Amino acid sequence: MPLTKERFEFVSQLALQRSAIVLKPGKEYLVQSRLDPLAKSGGYESLGVFIDDMRRKGGFGEMHRLVIEALTTNETLFFRDLHPFDAIEKKLIPEIMVRRAKERRIDIWSGASSTGQEAYSVAMLLREKFPELASWKVTIIGTDLSSKAVEKARRGIYSQIEVNRGLPMPLLVKYFEKVDAGWQIRPDLRKMVDFRQMNLIEQWSHLPRFDLVMMRNVLIYFDVSTRKKILDGIQNTLHPEGALLLGASETTLNVADAWQAENCGRTLVYRLKGERGATRTLAN
Ligand SMILES: C[S@@+](CC[C@H](N)C(=O)[O-])C[C@H]1O[C@@H](n2cnc3c(N)ncnc32)[C@H](O)[C@@H]1O
């Protein structure tokens, strides 16, 4: 049975308020396909009855939380788009290593880390290309709204299909071990990444000041004012000379004017404009 307009509006308002994900009319199929299994597993006779029950209950309980989780798109893969990882290897890490040679520490954030492939890709890259960092304090934090995705990232177990997507065979052999459910990241690499559940539209707490922020393929789900708030938030948590990487179809242009894009091979790296960096340096 197709979703009524009222029920679709209720779900899209809930998604907007709790995750900032925008579901415009036309996305009824997505709501239906993501929420049908939830309604079934909850024993509801239809998705409509399930949504009506949520409306009646009001507030924000477990049921609402599960709905938000189900509406997130967790698509990701190892070394997604390749070029950003070239920029990290050829320019960003060497630059950070010069800048932070005294403290010997690097802080990296994979915002919207989904099931962890992006953060583990960075960890493998550091291990492979920068062995000298073994004596540095390297922190990679992965955060995502979806607690299911965060749990999977922490476990670090991926199916054969998932490891076939983007992961070079030599890295699979070196950094994973075969387990019943597929391939698990070896404990020493898993220890390099700290995964946490965090909603980008709520308070960002306990984050260090980052040298590199990867906020890729998540801004696309938000409206312009939410994108701006998130970019402003990153501005306050990034070293003045730090770097931001966005997804291939995302930009700061016409969203937040504190940023400028710099070509780095075949990818764009976003930096804070000069005077912002200077102001923040003074404030530190
Ligand atoms: C398409 S994945 C991107 C994963 C990875 N960054 C990449 O580029 O491959 C988008 C992720 O954003 C997360 N997300 C959506 N809304 C969010 C929010 N309000 N706060 C934090 N994460 C959110 C989803 O749970 C999902 O895992």
Side-chain angles (χ1 to χ4, degrees), residues 147-213:
S147 40
K148 236 165 126 186
V150 168
E151 268 168 42
K152 177 171 164 106
R154 281 191 190 131
R155 272 197 308 276
I157 299 180
Y158 300 96
S159 67
Q160 187 65 49
I161 293 174
E162 287 168 319
V163 296
N164 284 348
R165 297 186 69 205
L167 186 68
M169 181 59 85
L171 298 188
L172 175 66
V173 173
K174 191 163 171 185
Y175 294 108
F176 289 72
E177 50 204 5
K178 189 84 189 79
V179 291
D180 285 347
W183 295 88
Q184 182 165 35
I185 307 255
R186 290 184 191 276
D188 56 327
L189 200 83
R190 243 186 298 148
K191 267 196 281 177
M192 284 180 70
V193 191
D194 173 13
F195 287 104
R196 308 174 186 174
Q197 196 274 341
M198 192 185 108
N199 190 339
L200 289 167
I201 62 161
E202 290 173 1
Q203 185 79 31
W204 300 1
S205 49
H206 309 297
L207 294 179
R209 185 151 285 222
F210 293 107
D211 299 290
L212 169 62
V213 174

Side-chain angles (χ1 to χ4, degrees), residues 2-276:
L3 267 184
T4 62
K5 190 165 174 276
E6 290 70 28
R7 286 173 179 147
F8 175 72
E9 272 170 11
F10 171 79
V11 174
S12 50
Q13 274 308 309
L14 183 71
L16 188 65
Q17 283 161 13
R18 298 290 174 167
S19 67
I21 293 172
V22 177
L23 294 169
K24 293 208 174 117
K27 293 280 182 182
E28 289 82 355
Y29 70 95
L30 183 136
V31 170
Q32 186 109 35
S33 64
R34 300 282 181 84
L35 302 192
D36 261 340
L38 271 186
K40 271 205 192 87
S41 68
Y44 290 89
E45 69 193 62
S46 71
L47 178 57
V49 176
F50 173 69
I51 294 174
D52 291 345
D53 194 30
M54 249 193 319
R55 280 163 89 174
R56 222 180 357 261
K57 284 186 174 133
F60 190 73
E62 182 59 7
M63 203 178 180
H64 302 77
R65 195 188 63 75
L66 290 174
V67 165
I68 298 298
E69 284 236 10
L71 292 172
T72 60
T73 299
N74 307 121
E75 162 68 10
T76 189
L77 62 148
F78 290 101
F79 296 96
R80 184 173 191 171
D81 302 334
L82 280 174
H83 307 303
F85 293 90
D86 276 347
I88 293 175
E89 179 190 337
K90 308 261 162 55
K91 181 152 169 76
L92 302 181
I93 297 296
E95 182 188 285
I96 296 167
M97 285 177 72
V98 170
R99 212 176 56 239
R100 308 214 65 196
K102 246 200 199 147
E103 305 107 296
R104 296 170 75 77
R105 83 172 271 170
I106 298 187
D107 295 276
I108 299 172
W109 181 19
S110 167
S113 50
S114 185
T115 41
Q117 285 91 326
E118 178 177 273
Y120 286 130
S121 299
V122 174
M124 285 185 268
L125 186 154
L126 296 186
R127 276 285 169 89
E128 286 293 297
K129 306 291 178 185
F130 301 93
E132 61 273 44
L133 287 178
S135 61
W136 285 46
K137 180 169 171 26
V138 176
T139 305
I140 305 173
I141 296 177
T143 65
D144 200 277
L145 170 75
S146 161
S147 40
K148 236 165 126 186
V150 168
E151 268 168 42
K152 177 171 164 106
R154 281 191 190 131
R155 272 197 308 276
I157 299 180
Y158 300 96
S159 67
Q160 187 65 49
I161 293 174
E162 287 168 319
V163 296
N164 284 348
R165 297 186 69 205
L167 186 68
M169 181 59 85
L171 298 188
L172 175 66
V173 173
K174 191 163 171 185
Y175 294 108
F176 289 72
E177 50 204 5
K178 189 84 189 79
V179 291
D180 285 347
W183 295 88
Q184 182 165 35
I185 307 255
R186 290 184 191 276
D188 56 327
L189 200 83
R190 243 186 298 148
K191 267 196 281 177
M192 284 180 70
V193 191
D194 173 13
F195 287 104
R196 308 174 186 174
Q197 196 274 341
M198 192 185 108
N199 190 339
L200 289 167
I201 62 161
E202 290 173 1
Q203 185 79 31
W204 300 1
S205 49
H206 309 297
L207 294 179
R209 185 151 285 222
F210 293 107
D211 299 290
L212 169 62
V213 174
M214 304 173 80
M215 190 59 69
R216 303 170 65 222
N217 305 301
V218 63
L219 298 183
I220 35 164
Y221 298 104
F222 305 145
D223 63 20
V224 171
S225 77
T226 305
R227 288 178 200 177
K228 175 165 169 39
K229 274 189 210 142
I230 291 171
L231 289 168
D232 289 351
I234 296 172
Q235 184 183 327
N236 292 323
T237 191
L238 187 72
H239 276 284
E241 291 156 345
L244 165 67
L245 291 170
L246 299 176
S249 61
E250 296 164 327
T251 176
T252 60
L253 198 69
N254 299 327
V255 181
D257 62 10
W259 301 89
Q260 61 195 359
E262 179 184 299
N263 276 308
C264 187
R266 294 176 63 184
T267 204
L268 286 177
V269 172
Y270 294 87
R271 311 269 193 183
L272 287 166
K273 284 182 185 165
E275 80 239 47
R276 302 275 176 149

